[in-house]
Amino acid sequence: MKHVVFVTWKAGNAPAFEAAKRLGHHVTLIRSQMMEQAQNIDFGSSPYARFVDEVHVLKDATDLDALRARVRAVHDARPVDGFVATVDALVVPVARIAEELGIPFTDAVAAETAKQKDRCRDVLAAAGVDSTRHTVVDGFEGAAAFAAATGYPVVVKPARGSGSEGAHVVASERELAEVLARAGAGVYAAGILVEEYLEGRFLSAEIGLAHGRFLRLAVSERSTWHRHEALETGTTIPAGVGAEDHDRVMSFAEAVVGALGLRLGIFHVEIMLGDDGTPRLIEVNPRLMGSCLPNLFRLAGGGDIFELLVRVHLGERIEPAPSTFTRYATVRWFGAADTQPKPEHVPDLGWAAARYGDALHSLTVRFPDGDTLLPCRGNLGNFGEVQVVHPDRVTSIRIAEDIVAGMADRLGFEVTR
């Protein structure tokens, strides 16, 4: 039995508790009250709570000093063998504490570099891995100067951020001015990153790294909303790409992770594959793919990625083997396209199962608090999710999109799709 410590949780990654317990380990969870409130999740009602042996609660786990003190107390009572952190805001703090304690984890400097998007691009350019033009500015004038030199459209996003919040594809100087004028005070606190616009197929590589050996897990394909291209609306695992493109994407992802020096973990690398077959980096996340994507991986036949995650972070030697998928698993997320009064109740969802049968894995709609649905322009604005599994890729995607369209009809307003 080893001691694995999870630092915070979300509904989508809670199955990792069961995986660790199934492997025979002692499971400790450090919770964060502020994060749970923001995500509207309740640990006590989670079916996976019973797999946790020991629970510690912090008001805010991103408070490095508070987290360090709690982790040290946990480690003193029962030595920690490995950490698991799957939430963006916690990877770097956990990495720093793990290094202080001498416990193997993702490299702290590399994780920090990955999260600071301009620094990440600078490192990759110096290594000859990726040369996407970019700059960090503090206002409209600097952004406009870059766009004038590069040509529109350009991508504007926070230099440090996640969940597509604050990300925009802008097609003109006027639109650039409007985007920056509307931005909230804290959205671009770390700087405004302006990048050249990349064209091609939006994909992601899910790869592991343990004992210096890469684990090629999956290439996924992503969808975006035509009215706001920076908003991701879904994923299909595995992607419909040929063997050569699959190898190009995986080789590029390995080069990215290697150049950054991430050292250990399972990583989510978002990539634009050009029409000429050249991969370009969108962003690299020094943690496991988020939301329901680990479940999609399992539904598609890839196996239990949470068990693999625990084994990697406990330092096991794992033989690289290609994932063998037997189905295509698709998720589509949706929110309000424009401001809408919140419906009094959730429409009946039974129609989808009656129409699509076993192909429909799940359909959930959960409205946020308040009387109004705000326009969805980032991952946190979604209120609905549909997961579909089918042996045929095109059919899997079509059914998911048909269900979202059906939900829009029943809601009586347009949704992101």
Side-chain angles (χ1 to χ4, degrees):
M1 179 184 289
K2 291 186 176 181
H3 185 193
V4 55
V5 174
F6 292 84
V7 182
T8 73
W9 74 291
K10 290 184 179 181
N13 58 40
F17 306 150
E18 186 274 335
K21 202 65 193 169
R22 180 175 4 106
L23 290 168
H25 302 308
H26 184 86
V27 178
T28 293
L29 170 65
I30 298 177
R31 294 170 51 192
S32 176
Q33 288 179 327
M34 289 180 61
M35 190 169 294
E36 292 179 16
Q37 290 168 1
Q39 295 290 324
N40 195 24
I41 54 177
D42 176 23
F43 179 72
S45 63
S46 170
Y48 297 98
R50 63 191 178 94
F51 299 108
V52 178
D53 299 295
E54 184 180 338
V55 177
H56 299 265
V57 181
L58 296 177
K59 180 178 180 181
D60 179 10
T62 63
D63 180 333
L64 182 60
D65 290 336
L67 180 61
R68 178 186 285 115
R70 186 56 56 93
V71 169
R72 285 185 177 275
V74 168
H75 184 60
D76 288 343
R78 186 186 189 112
V80 176
D81 295 291
F83 291 102
V84 177
T86 57
V87 176
D88 278 321
L90 272 302
V91 174
V92 173
V94 171
R96 290 176 179 168
I97 295 168
E99 288 187 1
E100 293 168 4
L101 296 175
I103 299 169
F105 191 69
T106 306
D107 183 84
V109 172
E112 175 68 31
T113 299
K115 296 307 299 176
Q116 189 68 31
K117 296 179 173 64
D118 58 311
R119 195 186 311 163
C120 176
R121 290 210 178 278
D122 290 341
V123 169
L124 297 182
V129 174
D130 189 272
S131 57
T132 299
R133 290 171 291 177
H134 66 283
T135 189
V136 174
V137 299
D138 58 7
F140 168 75
E141 290 186 3
F146 175 86
T150 307
Y152 287 95
V154 294
V155 179
V156 175
K157 63 178 71 169
R160 185 184 181 95
S162 61
S164 300
E165 301 295 329
H168 299 268
V169 176
V170 296
S172 67
E173 185 172 297
R174 176 182 175 182
E175 187 177 347
L176 177 63
E178 292 173 350
V179 163
L180 296 182
R182 290 196 307 265
V187 175
Y188 300 115
I192 304 167
L193 177 63
V194 191
E195 303 174 334
E196 69 171 294
Y197 176 75
L198 303 179
E199 295 185 86
R201 290 194 66 183
F202 183 14
L203 305 169
S204 64
E206 322 303 338
I207 63 170
L209 178 59
H211 294 282
R213 305 180 74 178
F214 282 106
L215 311 170
R216 294 185 170 188
L217 303 177
V219 174
S220 311
E221 59 184 293
R222 321 300 291 272
S223 64
T224 59
W225 186 36
H226 69 282
R227 279 181 52 185
H228 183 64
E229 195 176 344
L231 178 64
E232 298 175 30
T233 57
T235 298
T236 297
I237 300 177
V241 297
E244 289 187 3
D245 282 341
H246 184 279
D247 185 66
R248 288 190 186 101
V249 168
M250 284 297 191
S251 296
F252 177 75
E254 291 172 358
V256 168
V257 169
L260 291 173
L262 285 169
R263 187 172 63 195
L264 174 72
I266 297 180
F267 311 114
H268 175 70
V269 186
E270 297 184 358
I271 293 164
M272 188 69 74
L273 183 65
D275 293 339
D276 62 354
T278 301
R280 305 281 293 278
L281 181 72
I282 297 176
E283 66 178 31
V284 53
N285 294 280
R287 45 88 180 152
L288 181 72
M289 54 185 164
S291 185
C292 66
L293 301 191
N295 188 52
L296 287 193
F297 183 86
R298 179 186 62 82
L299 292 173
D304 186 345
I305 200 167
F306 288 120
E307 179 176 313
L308 180 63
L309 179 71
V310 172
R311 293 179 61 201
V312 165
H313 281 288
L314 287 176
E316 294 188 25
R317 292 190 178 274
I318 300 166
E319 288 300 319
S323 302
T324 303
F325 296 102
T326 56
R327 298 173 296 277
Y328 292 88
T330 297
V331 62
R332 286 294 182 269
W333 301 292
F334 53 95
D338 303 292
T339 302
Q340 297 288 341
K342 188 173 77 174
E344 294 182 0
H345 55 81
V346 173
D348 173 61
L349 306 180
W351 66 274
R355 182 174 301 176
Y356 297 106
D358 293 342
L360 175 63
H361 176 72
S362 66
L363 172 60
T364 56
V365 173
R366 187 174 184 176
F367 298 128
D369 294 334
D371 299 324
T372 303
L373 298 177
L374 298 177
C376 178
R377 297 297 184 268
N379 295 353
L380 298 180
N382 295 310
F383 60 72
E385 176 188 284
V386 56
Q387 296 180 35
V388 172
V389 187
H390 198 277
D392 179 71
R393 169 183 163 272
V394 173
T395 304
S396 178
I397 295 171
R398 178 185 58 78
I399 291 175
E401 293 178 345
D402 285 352
I403 292 174
V404 174
M407 287 307 307
D409 291 340
R410 286 161 176 79
L411 289 166
F413 56 82
E414 184 54 47
V415 300
T416 56
R417 47 175 154 163

